[in-house]
Amino acid sequence: MNYIIGAFKPACNISVTFSDGKSRKQVALKKENGQTVMVPLFQSQETISGKISVEPVSGKKVEHNGIKVELLGQIEMYFDRGNFYDFTSLVRELDVPGEIYERKTFPFEFSTVEMPYETYNGVNVRLRYVLKVTISRGYAGSIVQYQDFVVRNYSPPPSINNSIKMEVGIEDCLHIEFEYNKSKYHLKDVIIGKIYFLLVRIKIKNMDLEIRRRESTGSGSNTHVETETLAKFELMDGAPVRGESIPIRLFLSPYELTPTYRNINNKFSVKYYLNLVLVDEEDRRYFKQQEITMYRLGETPEATL
Amino acid sequence: MIADGVEDEEKWLSAGIAGLQQNAFYMHRALDSNNLKDALKYSAQMLSELRTSRLSPHKYYELYMRAFDELRKLELFFKEETSRGCSIVELYELVQHAGNILPRLYLLCTVGSVYIKSKEAPAKDVLKDLVEMCRGIQHPLRGLFLRSYLSQVSRDKLPDIGSEYEGDADTVMDAVEFVLQNFTEMNKLWVRMQHQGPNREKEKREKERSELRDLVGKNLHVLSQIEGVDLEMYKKIVLPRVLEQVVNCKDELAQYYLMDCIIQVFPDEYHLQTLETLLNACPQLQPSVDVKTVLARLMERLSNYAASGAEVKAFAKLNNAIGKVIEAQDNMPIAGVVTLYASLLTFTLQVHPDRLDYIDQILGACVKKLSGKEKLDDRQATKQIVALLSAPLEKYKDIDTALKLSNYPRVMEYLNARTNKEMANVIIQNIMKNKTCISTAEKVDALFELIKGLIRDLDEDLHDELDEEDFKEEQNSVARLIQMLHSDDPEEMSKIIHTVRKHILTGGRQRLPFTVPPLIFSSLKLVRRLEGQDESVSGNDASTTPKKIFQIVTQIIESLSSIPVPELALGLYLQCAEAANDCDLEPVAYEFFTQAYILYEEEITDSKSQVTCIHLIIGTLQRMHVFGVENRDALTHKATGYSAKLLKKPDQCRAVYACSHLFWLDEHDRIRDGERVLLCLKRALRIANAVQQMANATRGSGGSVVLFIEILNKYLYFYEKGVSQITVESIQDLIELIRSEMNGENAPSDPAADAFLASTLRYIQFQKEKRWCSGGEI
C-alpha cells in the first residue's frame, strides 16, 4: 500500500507565500469542488511578490529542467469547461535546470500587475487569477502547483449619479410613478425611493422589488444569457388607492452582488436590474425593469441608515 | 354556507396560532442563547402568520394579541442586546433585511421603540421614519393592526411636554404630528375597507368595520392625553387637521363615529372655544350621517358643562350651525330637522333658561322649515314636534311662558289634527299638574287657540275614527281646564268667561255638553263672588254685574238647545235660578224657572227623565226664597201639577208627596202652609191606594205597601216639624192601614217593606221615649 501511495505522491512539496501574507486581507473563494478557501485579496496595479519554496520529499532529489512561476488571469466558460482563456499571463523564471536536494526558496515579484478584471464566479462563466508554479521534468511529467488569489477593483463614487424616475402604466388600468434615488449603487448601498400611484383600477395584492443579475456569455449566435433573481423584497402588502405613495428602502448588504461588468474581454458581461413587480389578485404580474450600475466602493467605513 | 365559513375561520385561526406558537418557541430558544440571527429569523416567521387574509377582524385580533405578547419579549431582548454592545443603529438596519414587509415593519416598530429609548437619535426622527414606512401596508385590516401596534409601542415615548423624550430637537409638535399622521393613515385604511370584497357582503363588512373603529378612535384618545395639546394647539392644529380628515374621508360610518369621538375625548372647554370650527364641519358631512345625534350629544355635553358652573355662550353658534346643516342636507327628513331643533331647544332651556327669545327663535326656525309644506303626517316627525313643544312646558312648568312665545302656536299650525290634539292634551295635563293659573282673557284666548284641536273639529274625517272613550276623556280635560281659569279681578274674570264662551261655542254639538257646564259653574262662582263683595265695589263697575253675567249664562245655555240636551239645560237653568236666588234677583230667578219649565213641558218627553227632572225642580224650588207669594204659587202650582201628571202611579205618588215640602220651609216663616202639606200627603195616599187597587185588579194580589210607609215617614217628618194639621191620630190611622194591608189575604210577602216598617216604628218608639224622658206631653 505504501508503495502505491508513494508512487503517486509528488516528489516534492511546493508552497507559495506572499510577502505581506500576514497583513493582507483574506477573502473566501469557492473552489470548483465546492469547498471554500481563504485566499489573499489584491487589486489591479498591486505588486504581487513572495516566496516559493520547493522541498523534496524525504530526502529524494528532484531533477528538473527549470522552475517558473506564472501569474495567470483566466476566463473559463462552463460550456467549454477546462478550456481556459488567459487574458493575462506573466512569467518569472525561478531556477535554471538542475537538481534540488533539499528545501530551496525562490523569491518572486510581479510588480504593478495590470489586473483589470475582478474575480468572478457566475452561472456560466468564471474568471480567476492564479499563480502557477511549474517544475518542468522530462520523462516524469512536470510538477505544477496553483495558488489562487482574488482580485477586486474599487471605484470612486461616480461624479454623476442621477436618480431613476419614471412614469409607467397600462392605459386606464394602472399608472405609477417610481423613483430610485440613484442609478449607481455600491455594493453596500441602500436603495431609497418611492412608488406613487397615479391610477389604480386593478386589485393589487402586493408589490415586490427584485434585484436581478443578467450574465451574458459568448458572442453572436453563441450568446448565453442567464438571469438570476438575487433579491425579492416585498414593498407593499394590499391594494393601494390613487394618491398613495409607498416608500422603498432596500439595504444591499445582505445580497451577494458584484460590480457591473460591461464587457470582460469580449467574453462576458454582468449587469444588474431593479425589477418592480406588482401582482394582482389573479396573480397577474405587472413589472418594470430598470438597469442599475453596481460598483465597488473602497473599503472605508460605510454609512448605514 | 355561513356555518361552514365560521368553522373554516376557526380552523384558520387555530392553524395561525399553532404556526405562531411554534416559531415563538424557536424564537425563545434563540433569545435564551442570545442568538440574534435566529431570533430575527424566527420572529419574522412568527409574524408571517399575521399576513393571513382569511380571518375576520375579531379572529385576527386574537392572533394579533398573541403576536403582541411575543413582541414584548423580543423588545426586551433587543434592549439587552444594545446593553451588551450591539449598536441600535445596526439593529435598526438588520431587521429591515426581512423580505416580507409585514414582519419587517412589526420588527422595525419594535426596534424603533428601543431606539427611541436609547436616545441615540431624536425621537421625532424615529417616529417619523416608522410612521412613513408603515405606508407599505395598504391592506386595511393588516395596516390597521400594524399601525395600532405602532401607536401602542410609541405611546409612552412621544416627545410630549415634560416627557423625557422632549428636547431641543423634539417638541410636542412632533408628537402631535406623528399621532395625526398615524390617525390619518388609519382612517384612510378603515374607510377603504368598505370598498373591498363583493357587494353582497357589504352589511357584514360594515359590521366588521364597526368592530375596528376603536383602533382608529384610539389615536384621538392619545391626542387628548398629550399634555402639550393645550387649547391653542388644539385650536390651531389638532382640530383642523382631524376635521379635515373626517370631512374628506366622505364615509358615513367614519364621520359619525369620529365626530362623536372628538366630542367625547376632548374637554368641554376646548369644544366651547372651538365651537365654530367644529360646527362648520357638520354641514360638510355626508348627507346620510346622523348629524342630529352628533349635535345632540355635543349640546348635551355643553349643557352638562354649563350645569357644572361654566359659562357657556353657544346658542348663536349652535343655531347657526344647525341651520347650515339643514341647508346642506337637502333631503334631510323633516323628522331630523325637528329633532335637531328639539336638541337645541333642550340645550337652550338648560343653559339659557332666561332667554325666551332664543326659544322663540328656535321655534321660528322650525316654522320656517315647515312652512310651505303639507301638514305633518310623518309619525317620527310629529313625535319629535310634540317633544319639541313639550320641552318648554316641562321646563317652565308654566303655560304662561309658552304663551309668550309667538312662534309656539305657529308650530302647532303644522301639526295634523291628531297630533294637534295630542299636543293640546299635553298642554292641559301640564296646566293641571302644575296647577297653573291662567288669569287674563288674553292668555286664555291664546291658550284656547293653542288647544283648538280639542275645542273644535279641525278635520271632519277624523271624527269617525275617534274612540268615544277618548273623546270623553279629552273633553273632560277641557272641562277641567275651564274650571282652572281664574282671575281675582271680576272684570277680568268676566272677560275670561266671554273668551271661553267664544271658543267653546265653536265646538259643536258633541263638545258643548262637556264644555258648557263648567263654564256655567265658573260664571255662577263669579256671580256669588260679586254678591259676597261690597255693594259699592260691584256697584261701581257697571260692566260686571250679576245681571250681566246671567245674561251671558242664559245665552250659553240656550246654545244647548240645538243639540238638544234638555235634561242638562234644565239642570243648568235650575242652578242659575238658585244663584239668582242668592243674589236676590227675583225676576231673573223666575225667568230661569220659566225656562226650565218650558223645557220640561216641551222637550222632556221620556217618563224617566221627567221623574228625574221633576224631583230636581221640586228640590230647587223648595230652596228658593226670593219669590213673592204670587210667583211662588205659580211655580209650586205648576210643579205639583207636573207631579200629578206623571205616567206611572208610584212616580206620581212620590212626586206628589215630595211637593209637600214646597209648602213648609223651616227657615222661612212665610212659607208654612200646613193645610197644603196635608193636602199633598193625602193626595199621595189616594194615589197609593189607587196603586194598591190596580195591583189587585191586574194581578189579583195586593201591591207593595212601600209607598204607604214612605208617606208615613213624611207624616212623621212634618209632625216633628210641628205642622199642626198632622195629628197623632192620623199617624196611627196610617200605621193601622199599613198593617191591615200587610196582613191582608192577598198581601204578598215583602221583606223589604217589613224591614222598612219595623225601622219606622222603632223610630217612632224612640222619639216617644225621648219626649217622655224630657217630660213633655204626648
Side-chain angles (χ1 to χ4, degrees):
Chain A
M1 285 296 272
N2 281 341
Y3 168 77
I4 295 171
I5 294 166
F8 288 96
K9 255 184 154 176
C12 61
N13 286 326
I14 305 168
S15 67
V16 181
T17 52
F18 293 91
S19 42
D20 52 0
K22 283 196 178 127
S23 57
R24 183 162 288 277
K25 186 175 177 181
Q26 305 267 316
V27 293
L29 178 74
K30 211 170 174 188
K31 303 251 288 185
E32 282 155 283
N33 58 13
Q35 280 176 345
T36 307
V37 291
M38 296 304 284
V39 295
L41 173 67
F42 289 91
Q43 54 179 307
S44 192
Q45 309 280 335
E46 271 192 297
T47 295
I48 299 170
S49 62
K51 287 174 188 154
I52 293 163
S53 70
V54 177
E55 191 178 7
V57 180
S58 56
K60 280 185 182 170
K61 67 167 190 189
V62 176
E63 245 182 293
H64 63 84
N65 298 331
I67 302 175
K68 63 177 181 182
V69 59
E70 291 164 284
L71 190 156
L72 299 174
Q74 302 181 315
I75 295 170
E76 181 188 19
M77 302 295 203
Y78 291 163
F79 56 83
D80 192 14
R81 200 171 279 264
N83 205 352
F84 297 102
Y85 167 78
D86 295 346
F87 56 88
T88 292
S89 177
L90 301 168
V91 188
R92 296 285 181 271
E93 296 292 341
L94 298 178
D95 204 0
V96 293
E99 287 169 356
I100 299 172
Y101 298 93
E102 56 188 0
R103 181 187 163 112
K104 198 171 176 189
T105 304
F106 309 99
F108 70 93
E109 182 181 285
F110 299 96
S111 54
T112 46
V113 188
E114 197 68 40
M115 295 180 288
Y117 309 130
E118 287 196 347
T119 304
Y120 174 71
N121 257 313
V123 184
N124 286 324
V125 65
R126 185 159 71 119
L127 188 151
R128 71 164 189 170
Y129 287 93
V130 67
L131 286 174
K132 182 181 179 188
V133 182
T134 311
I135 302 174
S136 311
R137 293 196 297 183
Y139 58 93
S142 299
I143 302 169
V144 179
Q145 174 76 30
Y146 293 98
Q147 171 64 49
D148 284 281
F149 65 94
V150 167
V151 171
R152 286 179 184 171
N153 288 322
Y154 302 99
S155 328
S159 53
I160 299 169
N161 197 348
N162 294 324
S163 65
I164 299 174
K165 200 169 177 179
M166 195 173 249
E167 194 185 318
V168 291
I170 309 160
E171 202 176 342
D172 293 332
C173 180
L174 178 71
H175 269 268
I176 62 170
E177 191 183 282
F178 61 82
E179 182 176 353
Y180 308 127
N181 59 334
K182 299 174 194 170
S183 48
K184 294 166 186 163
Y185 293 94
H186 63 79
L187 302 184
K188 308 280 176 186
D189 217 339
V190 192
I191 300 174
I192 306 282
K194 65 169 193 280
I195 298 107
Y196 185 72
F197 285 84
L198 297 160
L199 176 80
V200 193
R201 294 239 174 95
I202 49 172
K203 289 178 177 168
I204 296 173
K205 203 161 68 178
N206 64 339
M207 175 168 70
D208 293 336
L209 187 63
E210 293 175 344
I211 300 173
R212 289 157 74 88
R213 174 157 70 194
R214 194 162 169 275
E215 178 190 288
S216 171
T217 49
S219 59
S221 59
N222 280 331
T223 309
H224 281 73
V225 176
E226 201 71 49
T227 306
E228 286 171 277
T229 301
L230 301 181
K232 190 168 183 287
F233 188 75
E234 195 181 16
L235 290 178
M236 183 184 75
D237 168 25
V241 292
R242 198 165 62 108
E244 285 294 350
S245 156
I246 307 299
I248 305 171
R249 185 190 294 149
L250 172 56
F251 291 93
L252 296 176
S253 59
Y255 308 105
E256 284 180 23
L257 307 176
T258 67
T260 297
Y261 306 136
R262 295 268 166 233
N263 179 6
I264 303 300
N265 218 256
N266 288 326
K267 292 288 180 199
F268 73 99
S269 68
V270 176
K271 291 176 178 177
Y272 285 90
Y273 295 87
L274 287 180
N275 192 27
L276 185 68
V277 185
L278 292 110
V279 184
D280 76 4
E281 283 186 346
E282 268 101 63
D283 282 328
R284 282 187 291 253
R285 290 159 61 86
Y286 308 83
F287 58 88
K288 182 71 189 174
Q289 193 161 290
Q290 284 297 118
E291 193 189 343
I292 51 170
T293 304
M294 298 303 300
Y295 66 97
R296 195 185 297 278
L297 192 66
E299 302 269 292
T300 46
E302 286 153 24
T304 40
L305 172 73
Chain B
M1 277 284 285
I2 293 164
D4 274 2
V6 172
E7 247 169 59
D8 282 350
E9 223 193 308
E10 285 294 347
K11 236 162 45 195
W12 290 323
L13 175 62
S14 41
I17 291 173
L20 191 140
Q21 280 172 336
Q22 193 188 358
N23 284 301
F25 171 78
Y26 289 118
M27 184 187 86
H28 292 160
R29 254 196 355 201
L31 298 186
D32 291 343
S33 53
N34 290 334
N35 185 337
L36 177 62
K37 200 172 149 232
D38 277 3
L40 291 177
K41 176 179 157 195
Y42 289 113
S43 57
Q45 282 182 20
M46 172 187 84
L47 291 163
S48 285
E49 295 296 341
L50 290 175
R51 299 174 71 208
T52 178
S53 297
R54 291 170 149 172
L55 299 179
S56 66
H58 196 71
K59 296 272 188 285
Y60 191 85
Y61 176 73
E62 209 172 302
L63 198 59
Y64 164 83
M65 280 316 290
R66 285 169 192 265
F68 183 85
D69 290 342
E70 297 301 337
L71 284 172
R72 298 273 61 73
K73 294 172 195 156
L74 192 63
E75 186 181 342
L76 218 63
F77 171 74
F78 286 150
K79 228 168 116 190
E80 285 165 7
E81 276 293 292
T82 57
S83 62
R84 277 194 288 267
C86 176
S87 149
I88 183 68
V89 180
E90 257 169 47
L91 212 49
Y92 197 72
E93 179 190 323
L94 218 48
V95 292
Q96 294 185 67
H97 294 173
N100 282 320
I101 185 160
L102 192 69
R104 179 164 78 232
L105 291 175
Y106 271 105
L107 290 174
L108 192 65
C109 291
T110 311
V111 179
S113 166
V114 180
Y115 198 178
I116 298 174
K117 266 195 179 152
S118 78
K119 295 181 190 159
E120 283 188 32
K124 72 165 179 187
D125 291 350
V126 181
L127 289 174
K128 194 165 167 46
D129 191 53
L130 292 175
V131 80
E132 276 294 324
M133 291 312 283
C134 283
R135 281 178 190 277
I137 305 299
Q138 292 290 318
H139 184 275
L141 185 63
R142 295 194 282 271
L144 278 171
F145 275 95
L146 172 69
R147 285 182 179 276
S148 161
Y149 178 71
L150 171 60
S151 165
Q152 186 73 26
V153 296
S154 63
R155 268 191 84 170
D156 55 347
K157 299 173 190 75
L158 300 175
D160 191 4
I161 285 179
S163 137
E164 56 176 308
Y165 303 103
E166 191 198 10
D168 296 338
D170 297 295
T171 67
V172 65
M173 209 35 246
D174 299 310
V176 168
E177 198 56 45
F178 166 74
V179 181
L180 277 174
Q181 196 181 341
N182 205 34
F183 161 72
T184 307
E185 293 301 325
M186 281 178 89
N187 191 46
K188 277 174 15 192
L189 291 171
W190 187 44
V191 167
R192 204 187 294 167
M193 269 186 95
Q194 66 172 317
H195 305 299
Q196 298 191 338
N199 221 4
R200 64 193 140 81
E201 286 174 9
K202 195 161 185 242
E203 208 168 303
K204 184 176 154 228
R205 268 204 310 279
E206 288 295 284
K207 192 174 153 276
E208 290 181 349
R209 275 190 67 205
S210 199
E211 289 171 2
L212 291 168
R213 61 185 194 175
D214 288 342
L215 294 182
V216 184
K218 190 82 190 234
N219 288 295
L220 296 181
H221 183 70
V222 171
L223 278 173
S224 76
Q225 298 292 304
I226 296 179
E227 283 287 324
V229 176
D230 54 8
L231 177 58
E232 196 58 21
M233 186 175 292
Y234 178 75
K235 200 178 196 167
K236 291 224 167 102
I237 293 152
V238 175
L239 183 64
R241 289 274 300 275
V242 172
L243 285 179
E244 184 193 356
Q245 176 58 27
V246 171
V247 168
N248 289 345
C249 79
K250 295 192 179 356
D251 177 71
E252 178 189 346
L253 185 64
Q255 290 185 336
Y256 176 72
Y257 170 72
L258 292 174
M259 285 304 278
D260 195 41
C261 212
I262 295 170
I263 291 168
Q264 301 306 326
V265 301
F266 291 105
D268 298 315
E269 173 63 20
Y270 287 15
H271 292 320
L272 200 56
Q273 299 298 327
T274 56
L275 204 52
E276 255 160 293
T277 320
L278 187 60
L279 291 173
N280 275 342
C282 291
Q284 299 177 58
L285 302 179
Q286 296 303 98
S288 49
V289 174
D290 185 7
V291 183
K292 60 180 190 300
T293 310
V294 171
L295 284 173
R297 297 188 67 164
L298 174 63
M299 291 188 271
E300 191 185 315
R301 272 205 72 157
L302 290 180
S303 48
N304 288 341
Y305 185 51
S308 71
E311 197 185 351
V312 175
K313 280 187 182 161
F315 174 78
K317 289 174 190 170
L318 287 168
N319 192 23
N320 189 19
I322 287 172
K324 280 192 188 148
V325 166
I326 292 168
E327 218 172 281
Q329 301 201 353
D330 211 19
N331 51 354
M332 184 191 253
I334 199 76
V337 174
V338 180
T339 311
L340 262 176
Y341 281 120
S343 334
L344 179 60
L345 191 78
T346 314
F347 168 82
T348 312
L349 287 172
Q350 207 154 341
V351 179
H352 309 288
D354 51 333
R355 296 300 298 261
L356 277 181
D357 56 330
Y358 284 172
I359 292 165
D360 208 28
Q361 221 173 308
I362 298 168
L363 295 174
C366 267
V367 170
K368 210 169 132 201
K369 190 67 199 173
L370 291 167
S371 65
K373 291 211 169 80
E374 297 272 299
K375 291 218 168 185
L376 275 181
D377 218 16
D378 170 15
R379 201 167 263 282
Q380 196 62 32
T382 50
K383 203 175 140 199
Q384 288 300 333
I385 288 223
V386 170
L388 177 87
L389 292 171
S390 303
L393 297 178
E394 272 157 33
K395 172 72 185 178
Y396 296 114
K397 305 197 183 313
D398 180 5
I399 188 70
D400 253 17
T401 317
L403 293 178
K404 282 182 201 145
L405 302 167
S406 65
N407 283 311
Y408 199 97
R410 293 175 63 201
V411 175
M412 285 192 69
E413 287 291 325
Y414 292 100
L415 300 178
N416 63 18
R418 189 187 299 111
T419 320
N420 203 310
K421 234 184 218 171
E422 189 185 330
M423 198 54 229
N425 261 321
V426 170
I427 293 171
I428 294 179
Q429 294 312 319
N430 185 274
I431 296 173
M432 301 289 172
K433 208 171 111 196
N434 300 305
K435 302 199 167 49
T436 317
C437 179
I438 293 121
S439 56
T440 70
E442 201 184 332
K443 283 183 197 163
V444 170
D445 196 34
L447 174 63
F448 272 74
E449 199 49 49
L450 220 50
I451 61 164
K452 64 186 172 199
L454 293 179
I455 302 301
R456 55 177 182 261
D457 290 329
L458 296 179
D459 184 355
E460 289 301 326
D461 311 335
L462 200 67
H463 213 81
D464 306 332
E465 317 163 16
L466 197 68
D467 184 58
E468 202 177 336
E469 282 295 313
D470 289 349
F471 180 76
K472 270 188 189 165
E473 203 171 306
E474 282 167 17
Q475 294 307 314
N476 282 330
S477 313
V478 177
R480 288 169 66 193
L481 175 69
I482 294 173
Q483 298 273 26
M484 293 197 63
L485 309 174
H486 173 81
S487 169
D488 286 333
D489 175 15
E491 186 67 22
E492 193 59 45
M493 189 62 208
S494 154
K495 279 189 197 155
I496 290 175
I497 290 165
H498 274 95
T499 311
V500 174
R501 173 175 157 250
K502 181 183 86 191
H503 284 281
I504 66 168
L505 286 185
T506 60
R509 37 186 298 149
Q510 300 268 8
R511 290 184 181 79
L512 283 174
F514 292 93
T515 49
V516 165
L519 183 59
I520 301 292
F521 281 104
S522 202
S523 309
L524 297 180
K525 228 195 272 178
L526 175 63
V527 167
R528 292 204 162 86
R529 191 141 56 93
L530 288 169
E531 181 56 25
Q533 274 176 355
D534 249 333
E535 280 299 316
S536 58
V537 175
S538 60
N540 285 347
D541 210 331
S543 61
T544 308
T545 60
K547 263 190 191 163
K548 295 234 162 160
I549 295 167
F550 281 127
Q551 282 166 16
I552 313 165
V553 165
T554 314
Q555 287 165 16
I556 298 171
I557 300 175
E558 272 167 6
S559 67
L560 291 173
S561 65
S562 58
I563 301 179
V565 275
E567 295 93 337
L568 178 64
L570 183 137
L572 292 173
Y573 278 133
L574 294 175
Q575 287 290 342
C576 295
E578 218 178 328
N581 176 65
D582 296 345
C583 297
D584 278 329
L585 294 170
E586 186 182 0
V588 177
Y590 190 82
E591 177 58 26
F592 281 126
F593 256 94
T594 315
Q595 291 300 331
Y597 281 11
I598 293 170
L599 278 179
Y600 183 84
E601 286 176 10
E602 291 177 359
E603 304 284 338
I604 299 173
T605 48
D606 176 55
S607 60
K608 258 192 189 148
S609 303
Q610 284 179 343
V611 174
T612 319
C613 290
I614 198 70
H615 281 282
L616 269 178
I617 290 172
I618 295 166
T620 311
L621 186 54
Q622 197 260 350
R623 283 196 299 279
M624 305 296 284
H625 52 74
V626 74
F627 294 131
V629 181
E630 207 171 305
N631 279 341
R632 192 176 171 86
D633 269 355
L635 292 174
T636 45
H637 185 255
K638 269 281 182 197
T640 32
Y642 296 150
S643 304
K645 279 184 204 126
L646 288 173
L647 179 64
K648 291 194 219 157
K649 290 282 177 191
D651 290 338
Q652 272 182 23
C653 173
R654 289 190 172 105
V656 168
Y657 72 62
C659 282
S660 63
H661 288 284
L662 295 176
F663 304 106
W664 195 274
L665 261 72
D666 270 349
E667 58 271 32
H668 282 277
D669 299 340
R670 273 196 299 125
I671 308 164
R672 289 198 178 169
D673 188 345
E675 280 300 328
R676 292 178 75 174
V677 170
L678 190 60
L679 262 171
C680 280
L681 294 180
K682 280 192 171 161
R683 197 166 172 188
L685 271 176
R686 270 204 305 281
I687 302 169
N689 249 325
V691 171
Q692 206 56 320
Q693 274 156 23
M694 267 173 65
N696 268 327
T698 52
R699 285 197 294 268
S701 71
S704 169
V705 293
V706 171
L707 283 173
F708 289 110
I709 306 172
E710 285 171 10
I711 297 167
L712 170 62
N713 274 285
K714 289 289 164 197
Y715 267 84
L716 290 170
Y717 172 82
F718 287 111
Y719 175 75
E720 280 170 28
K721 291 290 173 197
V723 178
S724 56
Q725 281 78 0
I726 308 291
T727 60
V728 177
E729 289 75 35
S730 60
I731 293 173
Q732 275 170 349
D733 287 349
L734 189 48
I735 294 171
E736 275 311 304
L737 174 69
I738 294 167
R739 283 211 171 113
S740 69
E741 286 289 335
M742 287 177 89
N743 296 330
E745 266 173 61
N746 296 329
S749 95
D750 186 349
D754 292 346
F756 190 13
L757 179 65
S759 300
T760 311
L761 293 176
R762 231 181 3 258
Y763 175 76
I764 297 170
Q765 193 58 39
F766 174 71
Q767 290 297 332
K768 267 189 194 162
E769 280 165 15
K770 216 168 80 179
R771 202 165 292 186
W772 185 75
C773 288
S774 61
E777 197 191 287
I778 298 178

